[in-house]
Amino acid sequence: MLRRVALVIGSVLLLAGCGGGTTISPTAEKVEGTVPTQTVAKGDAGAGKGVFAAQGCGSCHTLKEANGQGKIGPNLDNALKGKSADYIRESIINPNADVVKGYGPGIMPQNYGQTLSDKKISDLVALLTKNS
């Protein structure tokens, strides 16, 4: 009986630590027919504006919401229309996964997945999905 109570308490504590984020497909290897998942931090569009500015995104991208006026990369006010949060996250972490027509691969920095925290990426995604 004591063993059963300990098992139930352990299960409840384990489950209590879960949640609070959203589930997405990561940029790691994808196997056809399966969808690997990971939990990511919930983003804040207001904080995303700060990340957008701090990373200099507006020097390459136009994004009215964040005063971006760049012309080197796609106009995000147009290019992200109808795009999902998963697509936008993938485009930040792995920008060559789907290059917008008219732009070449390797123009956008390739290291945001390593240099930005999950929270900062989530904040950017929140900002950019606001405009999609």
Side-chain angles (χ1 to χ4, degrees):
M1 178 72 169
L2 184 57
R3 212 171 166 185
R4 185 177 294 172
V5 171
L7 181 60
V8 169
I9 290 172
S11 297
V12 169
L13 290 174
L14 179 64
L15 291 174
C18 297
T22 57
T23 302
I24 64 155
S25 295
T27 59
E29 178 180 84
K30 295 178 184 173
V31 178
E32 191 168 304
T34 65
V35 180
T37 59
Q38 69 183 29
T39 300
V40 296
K42 182 175 174 145
D44 175 85
K49 284 184 189 181
V51 177
F52 192 89
Q55 295 302 313
C57 302
S59 64
C60 292
H61 295 285
T62 295
L63 182 65
K64 188 185 271 186
E65 176 82 12
N67 300 317
Q69 299 178 359
K71 307 289 184 208
I72 296 169
N75 177 330
L76 300 179
D77 290 317
N78 300 325
L80 297 180
K81 293 274 185 226
K83 302 297 184 187
S84 70
D86 289 345
Y87 174 89
I88 294 169
R89 180 176 297 281
E90 180 76 15
S91 295
I92 294 167
I93 295 171
N94 185 13
N96 290 337
D98 184 30
V99 178
V100 173
K101 186 176 181 176
Y103 297 90
I107 295 172
M108 185 163 155
Q110 306 293 303
N111 63 344
Y112 286 138
Q114 292 80 41
T115 60
L116 295 178
S117 69
D118 288 340
K119 176 67 171 127
K120 286 183 179 182
I121 292 171
S122 293
D123 292 341
L124 276 173
V125 171
L127 170 67
L128 298 172
T129 55
K130 188 176 175 184
N131 294 298
S132 65

